[in-house]
Amino acid sequence: MKASPSPTKYAPIVPRIRALLPRLISGERARELIAQASIEEALGLLKDTIYGDAIKSTTLRGIQRDLTSFYMEYLLSLKKFSPKEAYPLIDAFIHEVEAGDLLVLAVYTMTRAGEIPDLVTKNVEWSLPATIAREPEALASFSRFLEYLEGTWAGRYSKLMQSVAASDNPARMNWARLAITASEYSLALDSLDSRLGKPMAAKPLCPLLNWMIASFLVQAKKDSLEARIIDELLVDVPPCGFRAREARAAYEREPAPESLAGVMDEIVKYVKIDVSKDLVEALEEARARARNISLNKALSVYSSYPFHAGLIAAGIVALKINIEDLTTILSGIYLGLKPEEYMPYTTFQ
């Protein structure tokens, strides 16, 4: 058993995390946003929020990039106030963002089609994707790209990167990012002490992690991913009620993605997929439920004893979900959608 870190090590980070929650977008502010007729008017309502100085663009891609930069810089700032025991936890959320762009670069270096992709982490100069994108040699070929990943956190996913890059199915990038993120969350949880930090961090993380695993398995089944690759990605995380062997057995046993989806609640906690509906719709509904459960658990950790890594996990999860909700709302407004078309996918329902 890992020794519990001294509570005093977390003292510098506690006020920073505790000050975050009141500054996030509330349900009331969300309702004000969806009443706006244009993206410019909506952005004007954000000037006095935590995101006011972060969003400088009025294009959809620019807004996404600005919010990503804000989120990534906030995560980096947390490491300056956190004990080293919490670094893997914070890094897992950084890696979640980086994974998407790394998969994009993997496909680009394999196909060499068109210009260098417009990365969402482009303005985060210290991020791994942005660093690689600045190196022409790293983008010269897929093999050179993999060489640049060696020695980084992403190096352990080289086989998955190759599987994605060699596929002509663009949907493979979606479930591959879920698999990488679930693995990173799992490793981060495993690195924490088991007395307090791990169980408290698991509360907000497990609903998200288990949904990612379930969605990854179902989508991978639909894409006929070889089971051996799954073995390299799924990590046992006892606090989350997940067992990799059982998941692997179900993946091989069930004949179709729909039947696999139907037994997910037997494999992972918090996840139940309604197989009577369209599979894509059912997975989105399961994701919405997982996000709501995760946010509620994060808020409960907020109000508990704070001197442990669980408070950091709760703060990051609350911010991550808030940014995702805000992105969904601003995207809906930008695209001229009706609120009922996008609000069900937020926690402001």
Side-chain angles (χ1 to χ4, degrees):
M1 180 182 292
K2 299 179 179 71
S4 270
S6 170
T8 58
K9 292 185 178 181
Y10 286 90
I13 195 65
V14 169
R16 189 172 182 85
I17 295 289
R18 283 279 172 84
L20 173 66
L21 189 61
R23 303 179 64 197
L24 299 181
I25 298 297
S26 64
E28 181 181 355
R29 182 58 60 94
R31 288 187 288 274
E32 292 175 355
L33 284 171
I34 65 176
Q36 304 309 304
S38 68
I39 191 66
E40 289 80 10
E41 292 174 353
L43 292 177
L45 282 179
L46 297 176
K47 291 301 182 183
D48 63 342
T49 72
I50 194 173
Y51 309 112
D53 295 330
I55 303 177
K56 299 177 174 60
S57 177
T58 56
T59 67
L60 188 54
R61 186 61 173 175
I63 291 170
Q64 293 170 341
R65 190 183 294 115
D66 288 343
L67 286 172
T68 297
S69 297
F70 168 80
Y71 179 60
M72 293 283 275
E73 294 298 340
Y74 181 83
L75 293 177
L76 184 63
S77 73
L78 288 184
K79 295 182 72 171
K80 298 177 182 178
F81 297 91
S82 302
K84 290 184 178 180
E85 292 92 341
Y87 283 9
L89 177 63
I90 299 171
D91 285 340
F93 291 94
I94 292 175
H95 298 167
E96 176 180 13
V97 179
E98 292 181 328
D101 275 351
L102 289 175
L103 289 165
V104 169
L105 289 176
V107 172
Y108 170 75
T109 56
M110 178 69 81
T111 62
R112 296 290 297 171
E115 300 180 354
I116 297 175
D118 182 21
L119 305 179
V120 74
T121 58
K122 179 180 179 180
N123 296 337
V124 188
E125 295 184 355
W126 52 267
S127 69
L128 182 57
T131 300
I132 291 177
R134 290 195 299 270
E135 297 289 341
E137 182 63 22
L139 302 180
S141 66
F142 182 70
S143 60
R144 291 295 292 152
F145 170 72
L146 290 184
E147 287 177 14
Y148 270 75
L149 292 187
E150 291 180 8
T152 73
W153 71 268
R156 56 180 167 266
Y157 303 109
S158 293
K159 290 183 180 179
L160 179 61
M161 297 277 184
Q162 186 169 6
S163 175
V164 170
S167 173
D168 58 0
N169 181 8
R172 184 164 286 197
M173 281 201 293
N174 296 330
W175 60 247
R177 182 182 177 187
L178 292 176
I180 291 173
T181 303
S183 178
E184 289 298 298
Y185 279 16
S186 301
L187 293 170
L189 276 175
D190 192 52
S191 73
L192 298 174
D193 75 273
S194 58
R195 296 181 187 177
L196 186 59
K198 181 183 290 187
M200 294 302 283
K203 286 187 176 184
L205 276 184
C206 284
L208 296 177
L209 193 160
N210 282 357
W211 173 81
M212 289 175 189
I213 290 173
S215 186
F216 156 60
L217 287 171
V218 171
Q219 293 183 63
K221 185 73 175 181
K222 186 176 182 180
D223 201 23
S224 302
L225 181 70
E226 295 180 43
R228 63 178 179 81
I229 297 180
I230 292 175
D231 289 338
E232 300 170 4
L233 293 171
L234 299 184
V235 181
D236 278 334
V237 189
C240 292
F242 169 74
R243 295 293 185 272
R245 288 184 181 180
E246 294 178 14
R248 165 66 185 266
Y251 187 86
E252 292 189 308
R253 181 183 69 247
E254 297 300 328
E258 289 79 10
S259 62
L260 180 61
V263 300
M264 271 302 141
D265 59 333
E266 302 173 11
I267 300 172
V268 290
K269 191 178 180 181
Y270 306 115
V271 178
K272 185 172 180 60
I273 302 172
D274 186 353
V275 293
S276 68
K277 298 183 177 181
D278 173 77
L279 194 56
V280 173
E281 180 185 356
L283 287 173
E284 279 301 313
E285 288 184 355
R287 174 178 180 264
R289 286 193 296 271
R291 293 175 76 249
N292 276 288
I293 294 171
S294 180
L295 181 58
N296 287 333
K297 288 186 176 292
L299 296 178
S300 72
V301 173
Y302 250 93
S303 60
S304 68
Y305 175 81
F307 298 101
H308 50 73
L311 183 70
I312 297 176
I316 296 176
V317 165
L319 176 62
K320 163 185 155 66
I321 290 177
N322 201 246
I323 289 177
E324 290 172 350
D325 285 347
L326 178 59
T327 301
T328 297
I329 291 171
L330 294 178
S331 298
I333 295 172
Y334 186 90
L335 296 172
L337 303 178
K338 297 178 180 179
E340 55 267 29
E341 295 181 85
Y342 56 83
M343 286 303 286
Y345 300 104
T346 73
T347 58
F348 299 127
Q349 303 172 46

